[in-house]
């Protein structure tokens, strides 16, 4: 009865009976796509309402890209809580394409990422600049200097960053610009997975410098080098334009910048 009433209201046949089974019509499939988007937005609205209700003073909800979550963010949080023990944190790691949704739904207050994609509702604060690094097993590139020309990668087996966000796009742009062809043996979107693949001998990888330092420290046979000329990117903090960081969050952002600078010597 409900189905028949819905079809009458819409003036469309949504199902037809085929061999004793109800089969959705093309019109039903088209409406399902639209309805899915509506329910998705309703779910997002409910999440936003829940997160607004659950907000607490003295709580910083932070999103960082995974590579900053390995060392830099934990160190910054620990130092901040030494100075402000009443402050609590909610931390999540997100890829670049998830940042705006998390901010919009208020599952985080601030997000820190590498060259985050532009959005009209986001405000940015540059915290530091950094370089892309090549990590490799020592035997695969003997006799390297302090920096590696990009052309040295010609024909090498590489862990790809084709879905690695803005930084991956930056590196691929440099490859095209210098007409360097590499053999992409694995494609992934997470720097520390690329680094682990390199440690196990699957190929070289281009990663952020924080991941490079951490990975080289795990295996004496793994080295890292910056490129010549340097390939630089920025580390930025973003938040919604109509929701500036709290006083505590602003203080944490300043401390995070200090930890970044210290980690790079």
């Amino acid at each position: 009865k409900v189905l028949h009433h819905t079809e009458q209201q819409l003036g469309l046949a949504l199902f037809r009976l085929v061999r004793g089974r109800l089969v959705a019509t093309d019109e039903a499939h088209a409406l399902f796509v639209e309805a899915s988007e509506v329910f998705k937005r309703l779910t997002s609205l409910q999440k936003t309402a829940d997160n607004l209700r659950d907000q607490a003073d003295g709580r910083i909800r932070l999103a960082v890209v995974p590579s900053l979550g390995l060392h830099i963010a934990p160190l910054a949080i620990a130092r901040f809580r030494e100075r402000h023990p009443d402050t609590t944190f909610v931390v999540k790691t997100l890829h670049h394409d998830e940042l705006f949704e998390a901010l919009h739904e208020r599952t985080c207050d601030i997000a820190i990422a590498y060259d985050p994609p532009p959005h009209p509702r986001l405000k940015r604060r540059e915290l530091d600049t950094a370089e892309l690094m090549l990590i490799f097993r020592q035997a695969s590139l003997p006799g390297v200097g302090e920096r590696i020309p990009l052309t040295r990668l010609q024909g090498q087996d590489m862990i790809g960053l084709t879905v690695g966000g803005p930084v991956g796009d930056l590196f691929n742009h440099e490859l095209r610009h210098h007409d360097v062809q590499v053999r992409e043996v694995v494609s992934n979107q997470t720097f520390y997975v690329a680094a682990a693949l390199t440690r196990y001998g699957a190929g070289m990888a281009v990663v952020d410098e924080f991941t490079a330092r951490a990975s080289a420290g795990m295996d004496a046979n793994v080295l890292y080098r910056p490129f010549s000329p340097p390939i630089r990117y920025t580390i930025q903090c973003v938040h919604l334009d109509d929701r500036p960081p709290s006083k505590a969050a602003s203080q944490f952002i300043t401390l995070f910048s200090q930890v970044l600078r210290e980690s790079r010597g």
Side-chain angles (χ1 to χ4, degrees):
K1 290 181 179 179
V2 173
L3 176 59
H4 183 65
H5 177 71
T6 302
E7 289 182 325
Q8 283 186 323
Q9 292 292 107
L10 293 173
L12 296 171
L14 300 179
F15 293 89
R16 62 180 183 274
L17 196 62
V18 178
R19 296 178 184 175
R21 298 176 56 194
L22 285 175
V23 178
T25 63
D26 290 343
E27 291 81 2
H29 284 294
L31 287 174
F32 177 77
V33 172
E34 295 296 326
S36 295
E37 289 299 315
V38 172
F39 280 111
K40 182 179 178 181
R41 294 309 307 154
L42 286 173
T43 301
S44 175
L45 177 63
Q46 183 62 56
K47 286 182 180 179
T48 302
D50 292 342
N51 290 320
L52 285 170
R53 185 180 61 250
D54 293 339
Q55 283 181 14
D57 294 336
R59 176 181 294 178
I60 297 174
R61 296 178 303 172
L62 170 70
V64 294
V65 288
S67 53
L68 289 176
L70 289 174
H71 172 67
I72 302 297
L75 178 57
I77 291 169
R79 286 192 185 177
F80 191 84
R81 292 206 69 254
E82 288 177 0
R83 304 176 189 180
H84 308 277
D86 292 334
T87 301
T88 61
F89 283 82
V90 177
V91 184
K92 61 170 59 182
T93 56
L94 297 174
H95 293 291
H96 289 81
D97 56 358
E98 301 169 312
L99 293 177
F100 175 73
E101 183 177 1
L103 289 165
H104 176 69
E105 293 181 350
R106 287 171 167 76
T107 59
C108 67
D109 305 311
I110 55 175
I112 300 176
Y114 305 142
D115 289 335
H119 192 282
R121 289 198 57 198
L122 294 184
K123 291 289 186 182
R124 302 159 176 267
R125 173 179 168 183
E126 184 173 317
L127 305 182
D128 205 349
T129 60
E131 289 188 56
L132 287 183
M133 302 279 184
L134 178 73
I135 60 171
F136 54 95
R137 295 193 66 81
Q138 191 170 8
S140 63
L141 279 180
V144 296
E146 292 301 312
R147 288 185 172 270
I148 294 181
L150 197 64
T151 52
R152 189 76 183 268
L153 302 185
Q154 180 68 38
Q156 297 284 356
D157 286 354
M158 298 288 298
I159 312 301
L161 289 174
T162 52
V163 289
V167 174
D169 293 342
L170 172 65
F171 176 65
N172 286 310
H173 171 78
E174 290 297 318
L175 287 178
R176 292 191 297 270
H177 179 70
H178 291 87
D179 195 25
V180 174
Q181 304 293 324
V182 299
R183 183 169 175 260
E184 186 176 295
V185 294
V186 182
S187 177
N188 90 111
Q189 60 179 352
T190 306
F191 286 125
Y192 61 75
V193 172
L197 287 163
T198 296
R199 289 200 305 274
Y200 288 113
M204 304 176 192
V206 175
V207 299
D208 66 292
E209 60 182 72
F210 309 104
T211 301
R213 291 191 183 95
S215 298
M218 297 179 186
D219 189 333
N221 293 312
V222 174
L223 303 179
Y224 67 91
R225 293 289 188 276
F227 290 100
S228 176
I231 304 176
R232 301 187 186 278
Y233 58 93
T234 63
I235 304 164
Q236 298 184 21
C237 178
V238 293
H239 60 85
L240 291 177
D241 58 355
D242 60 351
R243 195 162 186 269
S246 65
K247 180 180 178 181
S250 296
Q251 292 172 334
F252 175 74
I253 293 167
T254 299
L255 178 63
F256 196 97
S257 296
Q258 295 172 359
V259 173
L260 281 171
R261 290 191 295 272
E262 291 172 8
S263 70
R264 302 176 63 219

